[in-house]
Amino acid sequence: MSQPPGTAVSLAEAAPTSDVSSNTDDGPRVVPLRHPGRWIATAVVLVLLAQFVHGLATNSFYQWDRFAYWFTRPTILDGLLITLEVTAYSAVLGLLGGILLALARLSKSPVLRLASWTYVWALRSIPLIVVLLFLYNFSALYKTLSLGVPFGPAFLTFDESRLATDMVVAVVGLSLNEAAYAAEVVRAGILSVDQGQHDAAAALGLPRRRQFTRIVLPQALRSVVPNYVNQLIGLIKATSLVFYVSLLDLFGAAQTMGSTYPGDIVPLLLVVTVWYLLLTSAVSVVQYYVERHYARGASRTLPPTPLQRLRAGLADVRARARGEAAV
C-alpha cells in the first residue's frame, strides 16, 4: 500500500519481517573478545609448573625422607630460635636507630645532617658480611673500651672481648646495617606528609614535639610501616650471614649438620629453604594486613581480604548451583 507524500515510514514497517522477528526475539548477539595469547601463556605456565612439581616428587636426589627427618630436629629448631631472636632484636634496634638518623637528617643542624648522611652512605655501601667480620675481629683493634674525657682520664673501662659475644656481634652488625636503610624509609615517610599539615600544626600553636607526635608521625606511618615490614623480609634472609661470626642460626645449624652428614646436604638445604619460606610468608601476611590497616585514611572502601574473597567465591558458586537446580 503506497503512502501519501510526506508520510513517515517506521523502521518496523520498512524492515523485512524475518529481520524484525530475529531482532525482537533473540536480540543482538554479543561476541566475547578472544585472548589466545593469554590462554597460550597460561598453558605454558601450567605445563612448566607440572614438570617442576613432578621433578620434585620423583627425583630421588632430594631425599624427602631425610628432609622429613631433619625438618623438626632439635638442632634445626634451636637454630631457628636463634634466627628469630636475632631478627627481633635487630628489627627493633634498627628501627629506633633509623628514626634517630632520619630526624638528624631532617634537622636544621648542619653537623647532624652531615653525620647522618655519612652514616647512611657508608653503611649502605659496605657489604653486611664485611661489617660482621669487622665487628667480630674488633677486639684485635681495641682490646679495651673506655668512657671518659677525650685525651683525658677514663671514668669507665671494660674488656671488649667479654662484652662482644657472638649474639651481640650479630645483633649489633645487623642493627647498624638495618638502621641505615630504615633511616631512608622513615625520612621518606616524613617527607610524604603534605607541607600544609606542618603549616596547620604550626598555626595551632602546638609545640614542635607535639606537632610531630600528633600530626606528622601518624600520617607518616602510613608509608613507613608497610615499607619497613617489607624490609624485615630482607632482614630475615640477612641473618644467614651470622654463621660467619660463629653463631649457629638456622643456616649455620644446617651447615654444621651438612659437614657431619655430607650425604644429607641437599635435604638440609631444602629444610633451610622451607623454613625461610615460612618465615617470610608470615611476614608477608602481616605486611598485607598492615598495609590494609593504614589504607583506611586513603581509600573509602578497603579491599577484601583473602578470606573475604574466598567466602564471596563460595557464595557465588552456591548461588549458581541453586539457580541451575531450579531450572
Side-chain angles (χ1 to χ4, degrees), residues 139-177:
S139 59
L141 298 174
Y142 301 95
K143 297 185 181 298
T144 58
L145 297 177
S146 60
L147 295 176
V149 180
F151 305 102
F155 303 121
L156 180 62
T157 303
F158 47 88
D159 188 1
E160 193 273 339
S161 60
R162 295 182 179 181
L163 178 65
T165 61
D166 295 339
M167 176 65 76
V168 171
V169 170
V171 171
V172 170
L174 289 172
S175 299
L176 292 176
N177 184 79

Side-chain angles (χ1 to χ4, degrees), residues 118-127 131 173 176-177 180-181:
T118 304
Y119 179 92
V120 173
W121 166 75
L123 267 295
R124 291 201 305 176
S125 303
I126 302 174
V131 175
L176 292 176
N177 184 79
Y181 293 92

Side-chain angles (χ1 to χ4, degrees), residues 252-315:
Q255 283 285 86
T256 304
M257 291 297 100
S259 301
T260 307
Y261 303 93
D264 291 349
I265 292 179
V266 173
L268 285 168
L269 290 178
L270 288 175
V271 167
V272 172
T273 301
V274 171
W275 273 119
Y276 278 122
L277 284 174
L278 292 175
L279 292 178
T280 55
S281 298
V283 175
S284 298
V285 172
V286 174
Q287 178 187 359
Y288 172 81
Y289 283 98
V290 168
E291 291 180 352
R292 189 174 183 273
H293 173 76
Y294 282 98
R296 293 184 301 178
S299 59
R300 296 181 179 179
T301 57
L302 295 178
T305 64
L307 183 59
Q308 292 173 345
R309 293 178 182 176
L310 178 60
R311 291 177 178 175
L314 293 177

